[in-house]
Amino acid sequence: KAGVTQTPRYLIKTRGQQVTLSCSPISGHRSVSWYQQTPGQGLQFLFEYFSETQRNKGNFPGRFSGRQFSNSRSEMNVSTLELGDSALYLCASSFDREASPLHFGNGTRLTVT
Amino acid sequence: GQQVMQIPQYQHVQEGEDFTTYCNSSTTLSNIQWYKQRPGGHPVFLIQLVKSGEVKKQKRLTFQFGEAKKNSSLHITATQTTDVGTYFCAGRTGSARQLTFGSGTQLTVLP
């Protein structure tokens, strides 16, 4: 069974630009969550999607958005990038929203210059 | 909102010594999960605890869920260099359902 696939693996962007990250969950998983990981802040929850609907949103500004498609693939978008957005963005999929473990992708390393 | 605190933030041990990380939540959890992230890698699921007072073992790892379902611990007996990494707890409340991660404990094992 293929794991969670995130593309691209690395991105370098300039302040003010926007970026779109992609996540393909494990086949059969309907829940996709996004996390931002930085050395000082650990894993910060961005949002969770289930059956194409955003179910939960973390405490991030509106520049961070996402969506989920009918095939459960998900994208997240960050507009008007700031230096502080440099981080590892992790996507995780799970079978359901109740008690299933999260399966993480390798992440997208975003650097904003 | 729900907060999950984890201590210590860092732990250096000599190979063969024991290690424990503690997780505390501000609210009652419906379940708690533990993950391990190796340097340069992504978090990998270790185990889930659901019942009050539950104890589960995986070889040298022992996981506990508190009676009040607000705290949990992970204990590693006789650490090995393969145990190096950051250990995260993650708790889920019944209402929000989102998984909130603790800040993690970074374990270094000195040979």
Side-chain angles (χ1 to χ4, degrees):
Chain A
K1 208 177 200 182
V4 177
T5 304
Q6 289 188 248
T7 56
R9 288 296 308 276
Y10 303 93
L11 264 179
I12 300 177
K13 291 285 188 179
T14 306
R15 267 185 307 174
Q17 288 186 316
Q18 76 164 22
V19 67
T20 299
L21 312 182
S22 179
C23 173
S24 292
I26 290 173
S27 178
H29 285 192
R30 294 186 295 164
S31 177
V32 173
S33 299
W34 289 88
Y35 291 84
Q36 181 195 65
Q37 186 171 36
T38 56
Q41 298 296 320
L43 283 160
Q44 299 295 311
F45 173 75
L46 282 157
F47 21 67
E48 178 203 2
Y49 288 88
F50 184 82
S51 294
E52 302 178 66
T53 302
Q54 186 180 91
R55 303 295 177 145
N56 277 302
K57 189 178 193 304
N59 191 24
F60 278 81
R63 300 184 296 106
F64 291 81
S65 63
R67 58 179 175 168
Q68 186 181 33
F69 301 96
S70 58
N71 61 359
S72 293
R73 191 176 70 85
S74 177
E75 288 182 347
M76 69 163 276
N77 184 277
V78 188
S79 63
T80 321
L81 284 166
E82 300 177 0
L83 295 178
D85 297 333
S86 294
L88 178 66
Y89 290 87
L90 290 162
C91 165
S93 75
S94 62
F95 178 72
D96 59 31
R97 301 184 63 231
E98 298 298 332
S100 297
L102 299 185
H103 298 263
F104 284 86
N106 288 325
T108 294
R109 173 75 61 185
L110 172 65
T111 302
V112 182
T113 62
Chain B
Q2 179 189 353
Q3 288 190 341
V4 178
M5 310 299 291
Q6 197 172 345
I7 56 169
Q9 189 174 0
Y10 302 97
Q11 185 79 60
H12 293 198
V13 299
Q14 207 71 37
E15 188 174 15
E17 292 182 337
D18 291 357
F19 159 77
T20 304
T21 173
Y22 301 91
C23 188
N24 290 287
S25 169
S26 57
T27 57
T28 302
L29 302 169
S30 57
N31 59 60
I32 193 154
Q33 298 176 354
W34 285 91
Y35 293 79
K36 176 184 178 181
Q37 185 174 22
R38 288 201 161 99
H42 57 270
V44 174
F45 174 76
L46 293 176
I47 207 161
Q48 176 171 269
L49 304 171
V50 179
K51 299 176 184 175
S52 169
E54 189 171 12
V55 178
K56 286 189 177 181
K57 292 190 176 185
Q58 285 181 351
K59 297 182 182 178
R60 295 177 294 103
L61 278 61
T62 301
F63 303 84
Q64 293 188 335
F65 201 9
E67 294 290 341
K69 300 183 75 172
K70 282 188 172 184
N71 57 75
S72 181
S73 65
L74 157 60
H75 179 83
I76 302 179
T77 304
T79 55
Q80 300 174 358
T81 54
T82 52
D83 296 325
V84 164
T86 301
Y87 293 84
F88 292 96
C89 63
R92 193 190 299 272
T93 62
S95 56
R97 292 184 180 175
Q98 76 180 58
L99 209 55
T100 299
F101 279 78
S103 50
T105 296
Q106 187 176 319
L107 173 64
T108 301
V109 180
L110 305 169

